[in-house]
């Protein structure tokens, strides 16, 4: 009987010691303090402006201090003998936008909320607050429709980087050459609109989806796909020029939801280096073959590579991985078997030579993991600017997103640094806001 009774005992957790984090929202002028061995009155008598408001359960004291001096007074209380001092933190209901394809539904498993929750995005949204700048994500992709109902005011003036014969501001799908046509099973000009939608589709407009950027990010659409010798693709020449263009326009991030197996493309590598030198972080899709080895440009140094995870957090069956350590993270972006897809935008505009998938379409692939990382990187840029008056370098962004991901700073050959943790990106004081 004694043994059974002892097995039922719980060891109380150790009491905290030190000072809490003052970067999260809290009640002005209030601290919660563990006094240590001192009496409440004996403790606060040693700190000017501090007074005990009331004792709380668990031995804590609620202490009133001058507003704006919470952190300083917490430090003084610790110096006076307190064991622990923290803010009186604020908790909020997690923000949920009213876009109809967002809330989770058992009748529609492609709704976005579970995908965003996988990277703790809702918690991060609650931490944004007012942001004094609007970062730009350049999306280098297939085609775009700036007049889409869910992208109102989000697109900056776009650029056609291709030699497809259309004007340089024309973002329509490139017309196929005589004798060729778009293959609906392979060629998808809607792809670019879907990628851009996950970056910055308008939130809280009762339409479609919310982008990860939550109305705080703009998109620079750059068309890089066109018809090359009977194939709908892009080239080293066009892609390198587009990367340089995005950097020259001041984009904080260049999203590259595209790839090739070509390991040594000097022109593209040089352009990526140029972008990094201008303060633009390239973010690229890892590849959709499900094999070891990242596609390029994701595999190049300095690029943040993004693979895809299932909703259960494991690597998607199609997502490429790397046994060699790379700057690789994951975002939830579908699976083949069992099937998982997520809603995003389509062009919602038909052409004489191409019929759009409609206003919205279901997507999957590392192409749709990358824009989640790109938009999160942009939000981090804005948050960093709000705190320090300047944006972080590409190296800082990459370090912040990789080291705060779910693997705790450790690299795993299957999942890289793990699932993005948007909440940590907004609060981490080691890698993101040191």
């Amino acid at each position: 009987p004694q043994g059974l009774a002892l097995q039922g005992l719980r060891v109380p957790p150790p009491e905290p010691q030190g000072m809490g984090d003052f970067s999260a929202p809290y009640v002005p002028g209030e601290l919660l303090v563990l006094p240590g061995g001192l009496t409440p009155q004996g403790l606060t008598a040693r700190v000017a402006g501090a007074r005990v408001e009331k004792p709380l359960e668990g031995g804590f004291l609620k202490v009133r201090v001058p507003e704006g001096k919470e952190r300083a007074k917490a430090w003084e209380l610790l110096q006076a003998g307190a064991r622990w001092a923290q803010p009186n933190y604020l908790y909020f209901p997690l923000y949920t936008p009213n876009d109809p394809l967002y809330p989770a539904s058992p009748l529609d498993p492609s709704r976005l909320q579970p995908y965003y929750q996988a990277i703790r995005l809702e918690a991060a949204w609650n931490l944004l607050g007012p942001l004094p700048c609007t970062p730009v994500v350049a999306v280098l992709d297939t085609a775009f429709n700036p007049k889409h109902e869910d992208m109102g005011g989000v697109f900056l003036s776009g650029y056609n980087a291709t030699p497809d014969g259309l004007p340089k501001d024309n973002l329509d799908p490139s017309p196929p050459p005589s004798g060729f046509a778009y293959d609906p099973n392979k060629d998808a000009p809607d792809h670019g609109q879907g990628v851009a939608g996950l970056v910055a589709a308008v939130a809280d407009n009762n339409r479609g989806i919310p982008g990860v950027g939550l109305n705080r990010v703009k998109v620079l659409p750059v068309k890089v796909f066109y018809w090359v010798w009977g194939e709908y693709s892009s080239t080293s020449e066009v892609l390198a020029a587009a990367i340089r263009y995005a950097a020259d326009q001041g984009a904080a991030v260049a999203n590259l939801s595209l790839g090739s197996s070509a390991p040594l493309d000097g022109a593209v590598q040089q352009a990526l280096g140029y972008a990094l030198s201008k303060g633009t972080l390239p973010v690229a899709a890892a590849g959709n073959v499900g094999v070891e080895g990242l596609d390029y440009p994701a595999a190049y140094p300095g690029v943040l590579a993004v693979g895809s995870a299932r909703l259960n957090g494991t690597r998607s069956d199609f997502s490429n991985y790397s046994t060699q350590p790379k700057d690789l993270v994951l975002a939830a972006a579908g699976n083949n078997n069992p099937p998982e897809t997520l809603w995003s935008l389509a062009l919602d505009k038909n052409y004489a030579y191409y019929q759009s998938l409609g206003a919205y379409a279901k997507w999957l692939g590392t192409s749709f993991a990358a824009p989640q990382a790109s938009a999160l990187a942009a939000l981090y840029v804005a948050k960093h600017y709000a705190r320090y008056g300047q944006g972080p370098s590409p190296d800082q962004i990459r370090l912040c997103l990789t080291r705060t991901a779910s693997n705790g700073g450790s690299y795993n050959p299957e999942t890289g640094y793990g699932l993005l943790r948007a909440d940590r990106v907004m609060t981490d004081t080691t890698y993101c806001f040191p």
Side-chain angles (χ1 to χ4, degrees), residues 98-101 144-155 193 196-197 200-211 215 343-349 356 358-361:
N98 62 23
D99 307 68
L101 293 179
F144 306 91
N145 176 14
K147 295 183 179 180
H148 191 287
E149 66 173 13
D150 215 6
M151 293 295 277
V154 169
F155 280 129
Q193 193 82 7
V202 179
D204 264 338
N205 63 347
N206 283 301
R207 296 176 180 176
I209 67 166
N215 301 338
W343 283 107
S344 191
L345 276 53
L347 284 170
D348 196 28
K349 181 181 178 183
S356 168
Y360 302 91

Side-chain angles (χ1 to χ4, degrees), residues 113-175:
Q113 188 173 35
Y115 291 90
Y116 284 4
Q117 287 178 335
I119 61 171
R120 307 294 198 275
L121 184 61
E122 288 181 346
W125 281 345
N126 280 285
L127 299 170
L128 289 178
L131 298 177
C133 70
T134 304
V136 172
V137 174
V139 176
L140 284 58
D141 220 290
T142 57
F144 306 91
N145 176 14
K147 295 183 179 180
H148 191 287
E149 66 173 13
D150 215 6
M151 293 295 277
V154 169
F155 280 129
L156 302 177
S157 297
Y159 178 64
N160 174 14
T162 77
D164 64 358
L166 298 177
K168 285 303 176 184
D169 61 352
N170 190 304
L171 304 176
D172 293 348
S174 294

Side-chain angles (χ1 to χ4, degrees), residues 387-404:
R387 182 169 296 187
Y388 300 119
Q390 62 182 17
S393 69
D395 286 344
Q396 287 176 287
I397 303 171
R398 204 168 51 249
L399 186 70
C400 172
L401 268 63
T402 55
R403 298 313 191 270
T404 59

Side-chain angles (χ1 to χ4, degrees), residues 142 180-189 191 227 230-233 354:
T142 57
F180 292 90
Y182 283 101
D183 180 350
N185 297 315
K186 184 181 71 171
D187 305 320
H191 184 277
W227 286 83
E231 295 284 344
Y232 186 57
S233 59
Y354 177 73

Side-chain angles (χ1 to χ4, degrees), residues 256-259 283-288 294-299 304-307 366-368 370:
L256 302 159
S257 290
L258 45 81
V283 175
N288 294 333
L294 306 180
D295 276 359
Y296 295 86
L304 179 64
V306 191
T366 58
S367 281
F368 299 92

Side-chain angles (χ1 to χ4, degrees), residues 312-406:
N312 66 10
T314 61
R315 180 177 61 85
S316 301
D317 50 14
F318 55 74
S319 186
N320 289 12
Y321 56 97
S322 176
T323 55
Q324 297 299 314
K326 300 283 186 182
D327 288 318
L328 170 65
V329 292
L330 304 182
N335 195 58
N336 282 322
N337 187 24
E340 291 180 7
T341 59
L342 63 162
W343 283 107
S344 191
L345 276 53
L347 284 170
D348 196 28
K349 181 181 178 183
N350 292 325
Y351 308 86
Y353 48 86
Y354 177 73
Q355 185 171 349
S356 168
L357 299 177
Y360 302 91
K362 296 177 182 179
W363 300 95
L364 79 163
T366 58
S367 281
F368 299 92
Q372 296 181 55
S374 291
L376 178 58
L379 290 177
Y380 168 58
V381 168
K383 187 81 170 180
H384 192 282
Y385 188 91
R387 182 169 296 187
Y388 300 119
Q390 62 182 17
S393 69
D395 286 344
Q396 287 176 287
I397 303 171
R398 204 168 51 249
L399 186 70
C400 172
L401 268 63
T402 55
R403 298 313 191 270
T404 59
S406 63

Side-chain angles (χ1 to χ4, degrees), residues 3 51 198 265 333 415 426 433:
R51 63 177 177 84
L198 288 178
D265 187 334
T415 60
M426 293 298 120
F433 302 98

